[in-house]
Amino acid sequence: MDARVLGRAGLAVSPIGLGLAALGRPGYINLGHAADLARDYELARMEAHAHAVLDAAWEAGVRYFDAARSYGRAETFLAGWLVKRQIAPGAVTVGSKWGYTYTAGWKAQAERHEVKDHSLPTLLRQAAESREILGPYLGLYQIHSATPESGVLEDRAVLEELARLRGQGWKIGLTVTGPRQGETVRRALGVTVAGERLFDCVQATWNLLEPSAGPALEEAKAAGLGVIVKEALANGRLTARNNDPAFAARRRLEEAARFGVSLDALGLAAVLARPWVDVILSGAAAVDQLRSNLTALSVPWDQRADELARGLAESPEDYWHTRARLPWN
Ligand SMILES: NC(=O)c1ccc[n+]([C@@H]2O[C@H](COP(=O)([O-])OP(=O)(O)OC[C@H]3O[C@@H](n4cnc5c(N)ncnc54)[C@H](OP(=O)(O)O)[C@@H]3O)[C@@H](O)[C@H]2O)c1
């Protein structure tokens, strides 16, 4: 994979990165999460499983890794792997996030899996925790799931602390979620501290079912920010795993995939074709999924594919409503 630069963040990345949301904890909302882990949540085996996926990613040229304080042990698994494999901090880009606290107690089913809080005390606590775990590897620190309602983009104390962290060397980003992602991205583009734009990078959901943030992400790219796409396969809904008979998009995708291309590679190729994307996160929960995801790099995405894919989009409200109902497993 060719190296590229993550916008004004200036960090070296690969076009496909690896997200650790499904690798760092027993429970997640992706469709077949429990089956991916064979319901084996023993800590050392989960760590070895995560390391095997990280090894396969590294071997294939993946150079961006995405974690969060709330992904269970993701930061710890990643840091342990980087040290064990003797990967130099300058040879890799690591991003993490603050704003959710992991509360599932290492269980796949929990009353509350994570607690969202974008206040200054949470930023101070989690930034210190991430720094302690990831040390010199941590290059990008992101607000986890900003929305217009979260108020975080108007909280001057938080913004000033982020600017302070930026002054100390971290690049600063935000991830966005929900049906108003585009509005949040545009609001972030206007955030300045001491006359300087705060954000170096944005991470957003864009996939064939929910492409509504596209124009705002294009603006972010034009403004010089790095653009990372998450949930490119709609949490597994755009893969062969999705057996929901009510999922109308499947037939059309299968038609497009009949030349031996996997559904997931097709979904990722659609994102790779967007000129404003710097990094697409693979959310692979296993080595075979990662290898299948990476074949997207050689799937040509032409006008015919674009035509076949057109019409798959759901309304943002429907999409996020469906996502909110995906069961933790
Ligand atoms: N708000 C935020 O900041 C935020 C939110 C979400 C994600 N993220 C980041 O984005 C990353 C990716 O998100 P995501 O996990 O939702 O990505 P995704 O690409 O939409 O979904 C990944 C899931 O798709 C399924 N899959 C992938 N390849 C497959 C294959 N070949 N065959 C069958 N199933 C396959 C797997 O789920 P199953 O096997 O479980 O079905 C896998 O866990 C995360 O790891 C995280 O770093 C950030």
Side-chain angles (χ1 to χ4, degrees):
M1 253 183 284
D2 294 339
R4 45 172 79 170
V5 174
L6 188 57
R8 72 175 209 154
L11 300 164
V13 292
S14 46
I16 296 187
L18 179 68
L20 280 89
L23 291 169
R25 55 187 163 177
Y28 195 40
I29 60 168
N30 288 354
L31 296 193
H33 187 64
D36 292 333
L37 300 178
R39 292 186 166 74
D40 182 355
Y41 309 127
E42 204 271 321
L43 189 60
R45 278 193 292 274
M46 277 205 59
E47 182 171 29
H49 177 79
H51 284 190
V53 180
L54 286 162
D55 279 340
W58 183 261
E59 206 177 296
V62 171
R63 294 294 181 268
Y64 176 69
F65 297 95
D66 191 77
R69 283 303 301 133
S70 58
Y71 296 167
R73 292 271 186 150
E75 287 182 325
T76 306
F77 288 174
L78 178 57
W81 173 79
L82 288 162
V83 169
K84 216 178 198 171
R85 299 291 179 262
Q86 299 185 314
I87 293 168
V92 63
T93 292
V94 171
S96 194
K97 318 184 190 85
W98 71 277
Y100 278 91
T101 298
Y102 179 71
T103 55
W106 208 249
K107 293 194 180 72
Q109 303 295 337
E111 205 168 301
R112 289 196 84 173
H113 287 269
E114 47 194 21
V115 171
K116 187 172 186 173
D117 175 18
H118 283 154
S119 68
L120 181 63
T122 298
L123 169 58
L124 293 171
R125 172 173 57 83
Q126 294 198 317
E129 291 166 353
S130 293
R131 190 189 295 281
E132 173 76 23
I133 295 167
L134 286 160
Y137 289 105
L138 186 54
L140 171 67
Y141 212 46
Q142 304 157 104
I143 302 174
H144 200 162
S145 291
T147 61
E149 310 81 42
S150 68
V152 68
L153 297 182
E154 286 78 40
D155 186 331
R156 291 312 299 179
V158 165
L159 300 176
E160 276 161 25
E161 175 59 15
L162 289 172
R164 199 186 65 78
L165 292 169
R166 187 168 183 266
Q168 290 184 346
W170 284 350
K171 301 302 174 186
I172 297 298
L174 78 161
T175 78
V176 296
T177 191
R180 293 161 70 195
Q181 288 191 110
E183 183 185 334
T184 315
V185 172
R186 291 190 175 107
R187 216 178 266 193
L189 289 178
V191 171
T192 57
V193 176
E196 212 183 315
R197 181 175 275 159
L198 178 63
F199 294 105
D200 299 300
C201 186
V202 61
Q203 181 181 140
T205 296
W206 191 97
N207 61 54
L208 291 172
L209 303 180
E210 174 28 343
S212 70
L217 294 174
E218 197 170 359
E219 287 167 35
K221 174 77 176 175
L225 273 70
V227 177
I228 301 174
V229 164
K230 65 182 166 81
E231 300 181 303
L233 299 176
N235 309 104
R237 291 175 66 213
L238 283 170
T239 72
R241 269 264 163 77
N242 188 352
N243 291 319
D244 179 357
F247 183 59
R250 186 172 172 119
R251 252 214 332 266
R252 198 189 282 233
L253 281 168
E254 275 170 351
E255 189 189 336
R258 73 183 186 279
F259 297 111
V261 177
S262 62
L263 285 189
D264 53 293
L266 200 65
L268 292 167
V271 191
L272 279 166
R274 308 299 124 185
W276 39 261
V277 174
D278 292 309
V279 183
I280 299 158
L281 294 178
S282 162
V287 170
D288 61 333
Q289 290 184 3
L290 177 76
R291 297 216 168 109
S292 179
N293 289 179
L294 291 169
T295 63
L297 289 161
S298 52
V299 172
W301 188 267
D302 54 18
Q303 207 181 334
R304 189 158 167 272
D306 231 25
E307 277 159 19
L308 272 167
R310 210 164 290 150
L312 294 184
E314 301 176 349
S315 79
E317 287 72 22
D318 283 352
Y319 177 87
W320 290 99
H321 181 67
T322 302
R323 186 194 184 278
R325 289 195 335 248
L326 294 176
W328 289 80
N329 69 100

